[in-house]
Amino acid sequence: ASNTAFSDYKISQRTTIEDVSSEVTIWAKGVRERRETKMDFGAENMEGVSPEMIASMMPPSLTTISQCDLKQDVTLNDKAKLFFIDYYDWSAVPAEKLARRPAQKVVIKGTVTISSTVTDSGKRQTMFGLPARWLKTVRSFESSADSCDGAANMRMEEEGWYVDLQLNRQSCPVAIPPAPDAGGCRPRVIVKSAQDGGFFLEGTTTTYQDGKKVMTTKLETTALSKAPLDQALFEVPKD
């Protein structure tokens, strides 16, 4: 199947763990991208708590705008009317500051075997104007006993609706100097299988650690649009 690609797009996805939800909305236009994240702790969890207390507990809703053409990312705090610029090129950092970060040796110990398999249920429907398939994707990560953190086995079972969709911005090649190697211990990676079901629109992900269920995450796509977007969404507001 061929993937559908949007030039301008907006997508919102809500992730829920227990009663706590977070919603990420991404707008993209050309080489720029806007990303907003909001948290929701659930009305039942806030019963009896004053609105003032809830407001103080909620983390600020931050917005990040990637401006590849200007070689910078901007983080906005609309409530405080503040913004912060993070430049792509840190080569201008004084040498004496870079020298404070000592080089660390990278040690390779053991292996981690990665596999991904996809099973098609045969169920079909149309979602956001796209043909969707109900699939089950199983990803496993198995570390050997002689690896950095010892033997471990993690499995993620992802089941739900998938579509053929590419949400890519236009190419904006930027020469970014590589960051100093952090060093440390790493395993040798072995890829056993790498099947891919496509873009995950809706469903659940259940995570297991050493055979024991750790958590279940619910994913829901609440909006998907390819309508043209206003350039002002990708600029710092004048105020």
Side-chain angles (χ1 to χ4, degrees):
S2 60
N3 282 336
T4 301
F6 294 161
S7 53
D8 283 24
Y9 67 81
K10 172 189 175 183
I11 183 170
S12 297
Q13 290 192 304
R14 180 183 295 117
T15 302
T16 304
I17 304 176
E18 299 295 339
D19 296 324
V20 179
S21 297
S22 63
E23 185 167 33
V24 177
T25 301
I26 300 173
W27 294 260
K29 185 181 187 69
V31 299
R32 294 197 178 187
E33 180 184 279
R34 178 187 180 100
R35 182 183 297 262
E36 293 183 4
T37 303
K38 296 181 180 180
M39 299 293 296
D40 182 4
F41 292 96
E44 60 277 9
N45 295 333
M46 298 289 108
E47 187 175 354
V49 182
S50 68
E52 294 77 12
M53 182 62 72
I54 293 176
S56 66
M57 294 169 58
M58 294 291 286
S61 177
L62 296 180
T63 300
T64 301
I65 300 176
S66 296
Q67 300 175 323
C68 180
D69 52 318
L70 301 180
K71 301 181 178 63
Q72 64 185 29
D73 291 340
V74 181
T75 300
L76 306 179
N77 186 330
D78 288 325
K79 184 176 181 181
K81 301 294 183 182
L82 299 172
F83 69 94
F84 170 77
I85 296 179
D86 183 13
Y87 300 101
Y88 290 177
D89 186 0
W90 288 94
S91 61
V93 175
E96 61 271 17
K97 288 188 177 182
L98 291 178
R100 296 175 187 173
R101 183 181 300 190
Q104 298 183 29
K105 183 179 179 181
V106 178
V107 178
I108 305 298
K109 288 183 59 179
T111 61
V112 57
T113 302
I114 301 174
S115 66
S116 176
T117 59
V118 177
T119 303
D120 191 341
S121 70
K123 292 191 293 184
R124 302 288 189 268
Q125 72 169 341
T126 300
M127 301 178 70
F128 300 101
L130 300 172
R133 309 177 305 278
W134 183 277
L135 308 175
K136 182 176 182 179
T137 301
V138 179
R139 298 183 177 89
S140 64
F141 307 84
E142 185 174 354
S143 300
S144 62
D146 60 343
S147 63
C148 307
D149 298 317
N153 191 309
M154 186 176 74
R155 187 174 82 257
M156 301 173 68
E157 297 184 356
E158 194 175 86
E159 188 169 14
W161 294 105
Y162 291 76
V163 294
D164 293 316
L165 176 65
Q166 287 183 337
L167 295 178
N168 297 328
R169 291 176 291 162
Q170 293 178 15
S171 176
C172 180
V174 176
I176 302 176
D181 199 332
C185 180
R186 304 174 189 175
R188 181 169 60 89
V189 178
I190 301 173
V191 179
K192 189 175 181 180
S193 61
Q195 296 181 13
D196 183 10
F199 189 88
F200 194 31
L201 267 188
E202 182 176 306
T204 59
T205 301
T206 305
T207 303
Y208 299 86
Q209 185 72 43
D210 295 325
K212 296 181 180 180
K213 181 179 175 180
V214 177
M215 66 177 180
T216 298
T217 304
K218 180 181 177 181
L219 175 69
E220 178 187 6
T221 299
T222 58
L224 176 59
S225 169
K226 60 178 180 178
L229 299 173
D230 188 345
Q231 185 64 33
L233 285 168
F234 309 92
E235 307 287 352
V236 177
K238 293 182 180 180
D239 61 349

